[in-house]
Amino acid sequence: MKNVIYLLRIGELNQSILSNLKKNLEDKFKEFNIKVEILQDVMKLKNSEYDTERKQYEAPKILKRLVETAKIENFFRILGIIDKDIYSKTYNFIFGIAGRGSHAALISLARLRESFYDNISVIYKRKESPRDFEERILKEAIHELGHTFGLKHCYNNCIMQFSNSLADTDKKPVKFCASCLQQLKINL
Ligand SMILES: [Zn+2]
Ligand SMILES: [Zn+2]
């Protein structure tokens, strides 16, 4: 369907994470007349997508399957959500991946939890907040979808800033800067 972002579970994923993301994304994309739906299917992970030495999944391989699904189903956009650590060749890990101007994106929740890191409490000095976790998921989802809408990384105070760490993700706002917003409206 036109102007619908479809959310797809990849492997095991908590249902409430998905429904919160749907609600939050819908809020953010309402002004562009874009809806969000949760697909009932689950994409199963393949052994060939797992690197046993790195103990991570290879994101581009999963993204490729999402791109194929989008093509077959004629989806406007598909966003895969995985609760496992992912990487691509050039990075030790990534929070998400998307081809610029493509119809598919992928985000990983693994490193959005403070409990993933050994010494993060030194930085934050507080208990993990479920609200922070929810907002990080939203930020990474919007960021990767932004790439599918043709946006590049941005150096303004903007959700399209590149994140190299959880602190980077926490620092960036949950909105597009004026210039990205303008570009987005042209591309939509
Ligand atoms: Zn990016
Ligand atoms: Zn921007």
Side-chain angles (χ1 to χ4, degrees):
M1 213 160 71
K2 211 183 171 300
N3 290 358
V4 176
I5 297 166
Y6 290 96
L7 305 183
L8 178 63
R9 238 172 306 190
I10 302 175
E12 265 177 52
L13 185 74
N14 185 317
Q15 182 66 39
S16 69
I17 290 179
L18 216 56
S19 42
N20 287 336
L21 178 60
K22 171 188 156 46
K23 179 172 56 79
N24 294 336
L25 270 181
E26 217 151 34
D27 264 7
K28 293 289 171 192
F29 281 100
K30 208 163 34 189
E31 61 171 307
F32 309 110
N33 210 13
I34 291 174
K35 292 200 163 65
V36 183
E37 301 286 347
I38 297 173
L39 291 167
Q40 287 315 306
D41 337 1
V42 178
M43 187 183 262
K44 287 206 178 82
L45 286 159
K46 295 182 175 175
N47 287 340
S48 60
E49 289 162 348
Y50 188 67
D51 187 312
T52 49
E53 267 167 46
R54 300 176 65 127
K55 297 186 170 44
Q56 289 174 309
Y57 284 88
E58 198 175 341
K61 286 185 178 169
I62 302 170
L63 181 66
K64 197 171 162 231
R65 285 205 283 149
L66 289 170
V67 169
E68 280 161 14
T69 305
K71 206 180 279 175
I72 293 164
E73 303 286 342
N74 202 19
F75 283 155
F76 171 67
R77 289 296 181 278
I78 187 169
L79 174 67
I81 300 110
I82 181 171
D83 202 352
K84 304 261 189 267
D85 199 17
I86 57 173
Y87 77 100
S88 75
K89 275 181 207 111
T90 36
Y91 296 100
N92 290 334
F93 78 91
I94 49 176
F95 288 115
I97 186 171
R100 191 143 61 88
S102 87
H103 291 264
L106 170 70
I107 58 165
S108 160
L109 310 183
R111 291 181 190 249
L112 299 178
R113 286 189 190 88
E114 287 159 44
S115 53
F116 182 91
Y117 307 89
D118 288 338
N119 56 4
I120 197 89
S121 57
V122 178
I123 303 170
Y124 287 107
K125 290 198 170 90
R126 57 165 171 71
K127 245 184 112 183
E128 183 138 49
S129 140
R131 268 190 62 185
D132 285 353
F133 181 52
E134 196 177 311
E135 186 168 273
R136 288 168 188 149
I137 298 169
L138 178 63
K139 282 179 181 175
E140 291 310 325
I142 296 173
H143 178 100
E144 295 308 333
L145 287 165
H147 285 313
T148 72
F149 295 125
L151 299 180
K152 296 180 197 171
H153 284 145
C154 176
Y155 297 96
N156 298 333
N157 185 33
C158 176
I159 198 154
M160 291 313 294
Q161 277 175 15
F162 173 68
S163 285
N164 205 17
S165 68
L166 190 62
D168 286 348
T169 302
D170 284 349
K171 249 182 283 167
K172 66 184 175 187
V174 61
K175 63 177 182 62
F176 296 105
C177 71
S179 133
C180 286
L181 194 61
Q182 193 183 23
Q183 191 59 51
L184 183 66
K185 283 176 178 163
I186 293 167
N187 295 353
L188 279 174

